[in-house]
Amino acid sequence: REHALLAYTLGVKQMICAVNKMDEKSCNYSQTRFEEIRKEVSSYLKKIGYNPDKIPFVPISGWTGDNMLEASDKMPWWKG
């Protein structure tokens, strides 16, 4: 949250939101959990002043490298 607010304050107009830790046990690459996070973060970004419709959200796993460089077979629902 602080990063988004700071970016907006500094005049950053474009951003990509990476939803990390999709490999975590409670999440387990779930599209439902990704959409929950996307909705909550979008609401916050809108309050700051960003247009969430213009911000791409990408589900990733930094630990395993899923969706970092190539599309992951563990998230077939992601078409972005």
Side-chain angles (χ1 to χ4, degrees), residues 4 43 45 62:
S43 172
L45 291 172

Side-chain angles (χ1 to χ4, degrees), residues 14-79:
Q14 297 178 345
M15 76 165 55
I16 296 173
C17 186
V19 179
N20 195 12
K21 302 191 188 301
M22 292 299 293
D23 60 312
E24 203 274 323
K25 290 178 186 177
S26 66
C27 183
N28 199 27
Y29 302 99
S30 167
Q31 181 178 6
T32 306
R33 181 64 179 138
F34 171 75
E35 293 300 333
E36 285 176 25
I37 295 167
R38 181 181 196 165
K39 184 178 176 183
E40 187 174 324
V41 173
S42 290
S43 172
Y44 181 73
L45 291 172
K46 190 171 187 176
K47 288 178 188 175
I48 292 173
Y50 282 108
N51 180 356
D53 297 330
K54 294 189 177 190
I55 299 175
F57 285 76
V58 182
I60 65 166
S61 169
W63 183 257
T64 60
D66 291 312
N67 272 358
M68 296 285 284
L69 298 175
E70 297 175 0
S72 172
D73 59 344
K74 296 175 184 171
M75 292 177 266
W77 48 268
W78 175 249
K79 306 295 183 202

